Amino acid sequence: MEFNGKNVLVTGAASGIGAEISKNLASRGLKVWINYRSRPQEADDLKVEIEAQGGVAAVICFDVSDDKAFVEGIKTIIDSDGELSYLVNNAGITNDKLALRMKTEDFESVIKTNLVSAFVGCREALKVMSKKRFGSVVNISSIVAETGNVGQVNYTASKGGMLSMTKSFALEGSARGIRYNAITPGFIATEMTDKLSDEVKKGYTDKIPLKRFGSAQDIANAVAFLLSDEASYITGTTLKVNGGLYM
Ligand code: NAD
């Protein structure tokens, strides 16, 4: 895959899907900014691992749900590299409860971390990428944005909002040479899905046409494609990476 840009910011990159996206993009020649909030050791270890394989990486600590910190983080990258070519809004949380038991704060906190942060990232990307009239953003949503899910009205609302927001940013970014796309991962083997009981995992696996949970690499490869020049005519789309679970 070809990349016209030189660097990428991956949010929530110290673990799971974000870490795999970081390794994948570094192996393709991009300088990766590994964002973390609370896992400094894992972020540092990831940087060392990337560098050991000949890649270039830097760590950057901020909480994506703090808009000032996010803006400041992007400024740090611009001050260092002179540009930001790509952004992957990957950081996300769950706080599952049945709707009847969900407090308004439980709803708002997930919206803030997952959706408001992605808005801030997309908006700041639009500002800084406009200067070069080049850039590409991928938002990591979820299959449950498309299907709904019991116990996740907060999470599904945040991930569904990401999908429609991605289309609006794609419309506003197109005249400036900036593409915005989203990915809806199905069930991917990471810490987030480790929380599920074996029984629930088996129930889902039985329903997945490809009969397995996805890997973080499956998502990383899709991210790399959407960011790359090979996807230069693709914007505003949602790429389902779910083993056929929802078509
Ligand atoms: P994960 O919990 O391993 O990764 C999420 C990362 O985001 C963590 O490193 C966490 O510390 C970081 N993070 C959380 N809040 C943050 C904040 N405020 N600021 C900065 N970083 C923050 O989970 P994952 O499975 O790797 O999830 C990555 C993304 O993929 C999430 O957006 C998740 O919703 C989405 N997703 C995951 C699955 C799955 O099956 N694992 C399925 C669909 C979508």
Side-chain angles (χ1 to χ4, degrees):
M1 283 177 218
E2 295 290 317
F3 291 88
N4 218 351
K6 67 175 181 187
N7 64 357
V8 59
L9 167 62
V10 183
T11 67
S15 65
I17 293 171
E20 208 53 50
I21 292 170
S22 301
K23 285 190 262 181
N24 190 309
L25 296 175
S27 76
R28 298 176 195 276
L30 295 179
K31 172 177 178 182
V32 177
W33 287 85
I34 301 163
N35 160 252
Y36 71 96
R37 175 192 51 172
S38 55
R39 299 170 172 235
Q41 190 59 54
E42 285 166 73
D44 282 341
D45 290 349
L46 179 61
K47 176 179 179 327
V48 168
E49 187 181 341
I50 287 173
E51 287 171 346
Q53 283 161 14
V56 181
V59 294
I60 185 160
C61 177
F62 61 86
D63 178 341
V64 294
S65 67
D66 175 343
D67 63 340
K68 286 196 183 67
F70 202 151
V71 171
E72 206 42 49
I74 291 195
K75 188 172 175 300
T76 301
I77 295 171
I78 301 295
D79 288 347
S80 161
D81 294 358
E83 70 178 85
L84 176 65
S85 321
Y86 306 107
L87 167 67
V88 184
N89 282 311
N90 166 77
I93 57 166
T94 54
N95 185 0
D96 299 353
K97 288 182 180 83
L98 291 175
L100 279 174
R101 294 194 196 127
M102 192 177 285
K103 296 196 178 103
T104 308
E105 304 90 90
D106 299 327
F107 187 86
E108 284 175 345
S109 65
V110 172
I111 295 288
K112 194 156 190 231
T113 300
N114 296 1
L115 180 59
V116 179
S117 72
F119 158 69
V120 173
C122 287
R123 181 194 66 201
E124 294 309 303
L126 188 56
K127 283 184 200 163
V128 301
M129 291 174 185
S130 286
K131 297 198 175 109
K132 296 242 164 184
R133 304 194 78 75
F134 175 83
S136 180
V137 177
V138 171
N139 292 323
I140 306 297
S141 173
S142 170
I143 187 173
V144 295
E146 298 161 309
T147 61
N149 204 17
V150 171
Q152 292 199 310
V153 292
N154 48 3
Y155 184 74
T156 53
S158 73
K159 295 298 188 177
M162 267 180 139
L163 296 185
S164 42
M165 184 177 78
T166 300
K167 295 177 190 176
S168 300
F169 268 109
L171 290 170
E172 294 196 22
S174 56
R176 295 158 188 259
I178 305 160
R179 297 182 296 105
Y180 289 85
N181 291 291
I183 290 177
T184 49
F187 290 90
I188 308 301
T190 67
E191 264 176 45
M192 195 173 264
T193 48
D194 270 354
K195 294 180 203 155
L196 301 172
S197 69
D198 286 347
E199 195 189 340
V200 171
K201 279 188 204 160
K202 184 174 178 323
Y204 283 127
T205 306
D206 288 345
K207 286 191 194 132
I208 298 168
L210 293 180
K211 296 290 172 227
R212 65 170 176 91
F213 272 33
S215 67
Q217 289 93 318
D218 292 322
I219 304 305
N221 284 327
V223 170
F225 168 66
L226 286 175
L227 293 181
S228 76
D229 296 351
E230 275 83 353
S232 63
Y233 199 52
I234 301 176
T235 195
T237 200
T238 299
L239 181 56
K240 295 177 168 72
V241 184
N242 63 25
L245 183 57
Y246 180 75
M247 297 183 186

